[in-house]
Structure formats: C-alpha cells, structure tokens
Amino acid sequence: MATGVRRTTLTLPAAPVGPASPLPAVRAPGDVHRVELPEGPDLPPDMARQLRYAPLDSLLPVAIHDDYGRTRAETTLDALVIENDRLRATVLPGLGGRVHSLYHKPTDRELLYRNPVLQPANFALNGAWCSGGIEWNTGATGHTALSCAPVHAATVPAPDGGEMLRLWEWERLRDLPFQVDLWLPEGSDFLLVGVRVRNPHLNAAPAYWWSNIAVPEDERTRVLVPADEAWHFGYEHTLRRVPVPESGGTDRTYPLRSEHPADYFYEIPDGGRRWIASLDGTGHGLVHTSTDTLRGRKLFLWGAGRAGRRWQRWLTEPGTGGYAEIQAGLARTQLEHVRLEGGAEFAWLEAYGPLAADPAVVHGTDWAAARRATGDRLEAVLPRAQVDAAFATWRPYADAEPKEALATGSGWGALERARTGHDLPGTPFAESTVGPDQQPWLTLLHTGDFPRGGGVPAAPLVAAPWRDLLESAPPGPGTDYHLGIAQWHAGDRAQAVRSWERALAHGADCRPLYCLAVAEESEGETARAAQRYAEALDCVPEDDPADGTEHIGPLLPALVRAAVPALLAADRADEAAAALARLPEATRTDGRLALLTAQVALAQGDAAAARAVFDRGFEVPDLREGDETLSDTWYAVAEALIAGTRPVTPDVRARARAEHPLPDRYEFRMRTV
C-alpha cells in the first residue's frame, strides 16, 4: 500500500486533564531531579558542566495542570495515522504529539506499551502527564510541559515522494520552537523521525531533548545497549557510575529484577553506533537507533517492589501488564542541559522498528555476546549508513511548508512571531492561532497598554522583552500583576513584591496576595506567609449561586489547597479547618483535600478523626513523583494514636510502624525506606 497520513479517532477510558490552575506558577519547582554531584575525577568534564548549566528554577511562564481526577469515562480523542504496508503509527496531537501505538503488521505485534487508559498523573514539569507510547520531551529535565497539550500537525512532502506527518510547537520554558517529522518509506519496517530544535534568538539558550519509549515488560524482558557502564540515578538524588549489566549482585538489564524505581544512563563509547532495544523471552521486541547527535541512552524501570507496582497500577489499568521506558537524548543524562547558540539548531534522525535476535544469546550470561548479537541484527535489518543517508535526505525537507493542516496547537508561537518577525521555514505559527491567552499580550505589543477589562488573564509571559513592555505600560491591575511575575522570574524579588502591592492598590483580585504569600514562604517567613494566605482567602467572595447548587469556581479550591499547609506550618490549625469548611462537602471528598483534612485534624489534636479519613479511603490524583506526604502523614497519625499527649520517642515510632503498617493503597515511596 502507498504510504499515507489520515485522520481518525481513538476511544479510551479517560480522566479529563481539566483546566489550567488559576494561580500562577511562582512557586519553585520540586526537587525530584536534584542531583548531588559526586566528588573526584569520576565525572567527565563536559558532563559536569552540563549538569550545572541552566537548571530549571522556575516553571514560569507555563501553567500548572492539577485539576484532574481518577474517574474515567469513554472518551473520543482525535488521532492521526501514518501507515505503509508494514507499520501503522497512531499519533495523538492533543497529547503533545505522543505516538500511542506502533503496530507491526507482518508479525501482528504492538511494539510499544499501548496504555489502555488515559490517566493523568503528576509527572510532567507542570503536572498532568500520562504514560505509554512515545513522547517527545523538550524544555528541561523531566517530562515536558506539553505532555497533555495540543501541538500543531500537518502533512508535508516526504523525501521518497510520499507524505510525512509534521508536529511542531513553541516550547515556552526555554522559548524554543521544535518540530518532529514522521514518515514511513514504502516497504520499510522502521518509522523514521526527523527532529529539529531551533534557537531563533540572538543569545544562546539551554536545550533539552529525550524521546521516551514505553515498552512492555515481564520477567523475561531484557534491555540491550552497546555499553558496559552506566550512570545510576535514584530517588536518593545521587549519581554514580555502575557496571552493566550487573551491579549490586543483580542483572539490572532485566527491569523486574530491581526492587526500586531507578534510571540507568548508559555510557556508549565514542564512535559506537547509538541504539537501545527491549526484547522479550523469544528475542522479539523494539529497537531504537539514531544519528549520533542524539547521544544518550537510558533505561527507566519501576522495579518489582511494592511502590513500583503501585505506581504502575496508578498510571495504567490494573491487570494489563506493566512497562519500562527506553529513552534517547541529547546528553549523557536527563539531568543535563546542552548549550544551543543563537541562530543555531540541533537536528537528528531517529528510527523505531521491530527486531528479532537469537533468544539463547540475548538471554545468555555473556553480556558482550548478547549485545553484539543484537547490534549485528540491527545492522542487518537497518544499517547505520542507511540511517545517516536517510538523515541527509530528510534535511532539505525539514523546511518544506505544510500542505494540509491536521491539528492546531497553541498561539504562543504566533505571538512570538508577531513580536520578533522570526522566519521559521517549515513551522508556520499562523496569526489565526492567536487565542484568548495571547490576545491581551498582542494588544500590549500593538498599543503599549495592557487591557484593563475582562479580569486578569491566567497565562503570564516573563521573557525580558515582554517585561520591558510591561515596565513601559501605564500602571493598572493587570500590568502590575504580570510585571511582578516577570520580575519574580528574573530574580528581582523586591521589585516583584512592590509590583504586586501596586496591583492590589489598583483593584486586582486575590492573585497578587497569593504571590505575596509565596514570596514570604520563599524567605522562610512562615507567620507572614500564613497571614498573606489568610488575606487572599478573605479576598475571594463567598459563592452564593442563584440556582442553589454547590458549584464554585476554581479559584477558591486552588487557594485553599495552597493556604492550608501554610496555615498549619504557622500553628493556625483552626483557621486551616475554617478554610476547608468554606468548600462544599462534595468538593472536600477530593483526595488532596481529604489528605489536608486528615492533617488539619492531626494538628488539632484529633488523631482518631485523622485516622478515620484514611480508613474511609481516598486517592490523591496529583500525588507528585517522589512525594512521601501520604506515608509521612499516616505514620504521624499512628504515632499520635500511640503517644497521645506524651512526646513521640523512638520506641513510639517503632511501635507505630509495627502496629500500623502502611496499607498498599497509600504506598508510593520510590526509594529504599
């Protein structure tokens, strides 16, 4: 059959991602990927530089997505299919352009882990993320802020005369546009993917890219890669060099032989071909290879321990099997960022396809023979020279203008083009894509004044040129509020505080108060932060819907979730309880609010009431990767039940763990405890 691209739909049980948070992302991001660098000469100099280069210290200007639950309903999603007579790839443009499925027709095999559900979870840099398939991670260390966001998609001419599927978007954390071109040469068993990340600015920018591939796992799944060493990174935040395949007495190339979740970043020798494969007990599976620009290769495994299995069930459908991730990136590790000079670009080619090797060798005890046999099979079915040639053939087509639009992403790229006039051949950010989030900024650009009507937009901009425009604009609630956010992002904290105070004086709503509360928290001013939160809560009007329902807007629940921990930290437990009481009873059954209810009861000295919340059962939909709040609160309640009003001693702690073991439903710890 002729290679083609077509629209279709995909129906899955899905929990809605929900709208963006009404509060700006002025809090510092979590430290899940914080690394404690080893001392001594063990760390290669280029790696050491890139580990220290431009780590993400703010999520601005992107919005947080945390308003999702765990109730799934049959949902129809737009999908795009690129297909030849050998392979069929299904892409979800509304979820960052994720490749949901890669089906090999001759062997009737799904090559990826195809998640049977769409369940958002708090793994992306800005919250909502879902597992499975192939995802394109750009921006900064972690899952991209575009994980659950739409991207632009269109058909473009392919190098062999057929059609390519192009995906593109403007990545806002680093202000860099990128594109992903997918095509299937006629008769090919491999999906070819050309990727380009461009820096249209005058100054250098930190770049980041990892292609993450979810693959099925079982006891016989083995990940093979041409390396004898790897860098291990776990949730203890340490990075250390380990041998491959065996370390600590265990062969870590079998994902289910490890106990705890971990990353293994492989050291592929310079000059060696870059590939990674996941093969099952019969020697069949998926292989990924690329041109040399995509340097890194990685295995992420959940492990066979209780927490890893719990996370698997959390992200997928229980009983459908688990997955591991094989990945490829610009640097040795995902903890690094690579300098991209102004006016320059990174471009490379990737290939995804089936591989079959002798299972006796693949699963033998001779690691060198296993990886050599796998590499030889790859060279036989897809020679390295063929990949390099395909890249050279694709490069002139990277600038080809799209033919038929298939999906629409955000208007942020169009806004940046309006400001700068950047010429970006191949990735048109059309003016027609400018929407409500961008329109106030377009008005500021054209008139020099930020619009005063319609409330404060939830989507800030923080780049220096926009900050300059805000500083020159007439004062007003929106102008000063957004100026404060841009100043905060730039590190000018004192000016940010003054701008937010001016916004309040000009009649802004409670959001500048929230920002001021975060500013106090960042300085360790616990009491003053709590007071600001209390003022912000008082600033939100009481909801009194005319229809008598309990419907409330998103602002109050978001503020309550932020304020209650701060009020508890300042020993204002009764005010924290009153804040929760402002929400309708139905709203308080939300898992995050249920956890806060238990913490408030504990702070008020009612450990039995706190334990009752746990016994009734709840789920925290946006529990963060590495977050141990659930287990910490459980054991704090257990200790209070045993100690009563007496001090909590080591003996009490030991009894709490022995007499009140953490139930499986609350076990999410990703490290050795």
Side-chain angles (χ1 to χ4, degrees):
M1 63 178 295
T3 301
V5 180
R6 58 184 170 87
R7 286 189 177 97
T8 187
T9 58
L10 182 69
T11 301
L12 292 174
V17 173
S21 171
L23 300 176
V26 288
R27 288 179 179 274
D31 65 349
V32 172
H33 301 105
R34 172 178 55 82
V35 60
E36 297 175 5
L37 297 182
E39 298 292 335
D42 194 46
L43 208 62
D46 63 328
M47 182 176 170
R49 285 193 302 271
Q50 291 177 169
L51 284 167
R52 296 181 175 93
Y53 175 51
L56 193 70
D57 57 7
S58 172
L59 294 177
L60 291 167
V62 303
I64 302 297
H65 280 270
D66 57 5
D67 189 18
Y68 49 83
R70 294 192 55 80
T71 301
R72 298 192 285 262
E74 290 296 311
T75 304
T76 299
L77 307 173
D78 290 331
L80 304 171
V81 171
I82 179 168
E83 184 171 18
N84 67 4
D85 58 341
R86 311 285 292 178
L87 279 176
R88 181 171 65 244
T90 303
V91 177
L92 302 179
L95 293 174
R98 175 186 303 267
V99 179
H100 175 72
S101 167
L102 186 60
Y103 173 70
H104 188 234
K105 299 177 184 180
T107 58
D108 189 28
R109 283 178 175 268
E110 173 59 54
L111 300 180
L112 305 175
Y113 174 76
R114 184 176 58 192
N115 198 335
V117 302
L118 197 168
Q119 177 55 62
N122 193 358
F123 278 71
L125 288 166
N126 63 333
W129 170 84
C130 55
S131 63
I134 304 169
E135 58 175 315
W136 317 111
N137 284 297
T138 186
T141 297
H143 292 281
T144 176
L146 295 166
S147 291
C148 291
V151 297
H152 302 282
T155 59
V156 292
D160 61 356
E163 286 186 322
M164 285 193 299
L165 171 61
R166 175 164 297 163
L167 310 169
W168 74 98
E169 190 45 277
W170 192 279
E171 200 288 309
R172 301 181 67 210
L173 286 172
R174 304 301 197 183
D175 263 339
L176 300 179
F178 70 92
Q179 73 184 73
V180 178
D181 288 353
L182 304 95
W183 82 101
L184 288 166
E186 187 174 353
S188 174
D189 282 312
F190 283 84
L191 174 68
L192 301 183
V193 181
V195 183
R196 178 164 65 166
V197 179
R198 288 188 272 192
N199 181 3
H201 310 296
L202 295 176
N203 299 322
Y208 172 91
W209 187 278
W210 282 80
S211 299
N212 289 11
I213 311 148
V215 290
E217 68 169 6
D218 60 25
E219 290 78 4
R220 293 283 286 163
T221 299
R222 192 176 203 188
V223 172
L224 298 109
V225 63
D228 292 314
E229 290 184 312
W231 295 92
H232 171 275
F233 181 73
Y235 289 84
E236 299 83 9
H237 304 289
T238 57
L239 189 66
R240 68 179 191 276
R241 195 192 294 262
V242 297
V244 175
E246 185 175 308
S247 64
T250 300
D251 188 332
R252 307 293 177 178
T253 61
Y254 290 89
L256 286 178
R257 293 187 184 178
S258 291
E259 178 75 8
H260 299 286
D263 297 328
Y264 290 90
F265 300 103
Y266 296 107
E267 277 281 8
I268 298 176
D270 290 342
R273 186 175 186 181
R274 302 193 178 271
W275 59 267
I276 188 169
S278 174
L279 304 181
D280 65 15
T282 69
H284 288 80
L286 177 136
V287 66
H288 173 278
T289 188
S290 71
T291 49
D292 290 350
T293 296
L294 205 62
R295 175 181 186 172
R297 293 299 183 274
K298 170 192 164 182
L299 164 65
F300 168 75
L301 55 86
W302 286 106
R306 191 164 72 141
R309 295 302 93 194
R310 182 74 180 95
W311 274 112
Q312 291 261 17
R313 295 193 301 272
W314 186 256
L315 297 170
T316 64
E317 182 70 14
T320 57
Y323 73 94
E325 289 180 1
I326 56 175
Q327 306 180 14
L330 280 175
R332 279 186 178 88
T333 75
Q334 284 180 323
L335 309 169
E336 301 168 65
H337 299 98
V338 183
R339 184 182 177 90
L340 179 57
E341 297 297 336
E345 66 181 38
F346 289 129
W348 63 90
L349 185 95
E350 305 179 41
Y352 300 78
L355 193 72
D358 183 349
V361 180
V362 166
H363 296 285
T365 57
D366 187 337
W367 170 246
R371 61 183 179 83
R372 184 169 56 249
T374 307
D376 289 347
R377 286 297 302 145
L378 172 60
E379 187 65 22
V381 297
L382 186 66
R384 183 179 187 178
Q386 186 175 328
V387 174
D388 291 338
F391 174 63
T393 303
W394 166 71
R395 288 296 280 127
Y397 290 83
D399 286 345
E401 290 303 310
K403 296 192 301 182
E404 179 189 2
L406 300 173
T408 302
S410 77
W412 295 113
L415 182 65
E416 286 303 311
R417 283 203 65 206
R419 184 183 65 80
T420 64
H422 288 319
D423 182 24
L424 297 168
T427 54
F429 293 97
E431 185 178 349
S432 60
T433 62
V434 170
D437 280 341
Q438 296 84 38
Q439 192 59 56
W441 297 100
L442 196 62
T443 300
L444 173 66
L445 181 66
H446 289 158
T447 69
D449 193 2
F450 201 88
R452 285 167 167 71
V456 178
L461 284 172
V462 295
W466 293 107
R467 188 173 72 247
D468 292 343
L469 285 170
L470 288 168
E471 287 175 342
S472 302
T479 301
D480 291 313
Y481 167 70
H482 282 291
L483 178 57
I485 292 174
Q487 291 165 331
W488 181 262
H489 178 266
D492 194 348
R493 302 299 175 86
Q495 287 290 358
V497 167
R498 283 191 280 273
S499 293
W500 289 326
E501 289 173 341
R502 285 197 306 271
L504 291 172
H506 288 128
D509 68 4
C510 64
R511 275 171 279 205
L513 282 166
Y514 166 76
C515 295
L516 290 167
V518 173
E520 298 289 5
E521 282 182 316
S522 71
E523 294 295 325
E525 296 289 348
T526 303
R528 293 170 65 175
Q531 182 57 35
R532 287 293 198 182
Y533 277 117
E535 293 169 5
L537 287 169
D538 289 342
C539 187
V540 180
E542 295 288 345
D543 287 288
D544 185 20
D547 59 5
T549 68
E550 287 196 321
H551 172 75
I552 58 172
L555 188 55
L556 180 60
L559 265 178
V560 168
R561 286 177 50 170
V564 166
L567 292 168
L568 291 178
D571 296 324
R572 295 167 69 163
D574 290 344
E575 289 177 71
L580 286 170
R582 286 190 61 180
L583 300 175
E585 187 67 35
T587 304
R588 278 178 269 160
T589 61
D590 167 84
R592 176 62 67 180
L593 295 172
L595 176 59
L596 291 175
T597 299
Q599 292 171 334
V600 168
L602 181 62
Q604 290 180 313
D606 194 345
R611 177 58 181 264
V613 175
F614 278 93
D615 290 343
R616 286 193 295 272
F618 61 89
E619 295 180 320
V620 181
D622 64 331
L623 190 69
R624 185 67 175 166
E625 173 188 8
D627 188 342
E628 298 182 0
T629 307
L630 271 174
S631 51
D632 289 348
T633 305
W634 169 271
Y635 286 121
V637 172
E639 291 164 6
L641 288 171
I642 292 171
T645 58
R646 294 170 294 158
V648 175
T649 63
D651 178 62
V652 167
R653 291 194 177 93
R655 282 185 57 196
R657 280 149 182 76
E659 298 175 14
H660 301 271
L662 184 69
D664 281 348
R665 69 178 303 170
Y666 302 125
E667 177 60 276
F668 289 91
R669 292 171 292 183
M670 301 179 77
R671 63 183 178 89
T672 302
V673 179

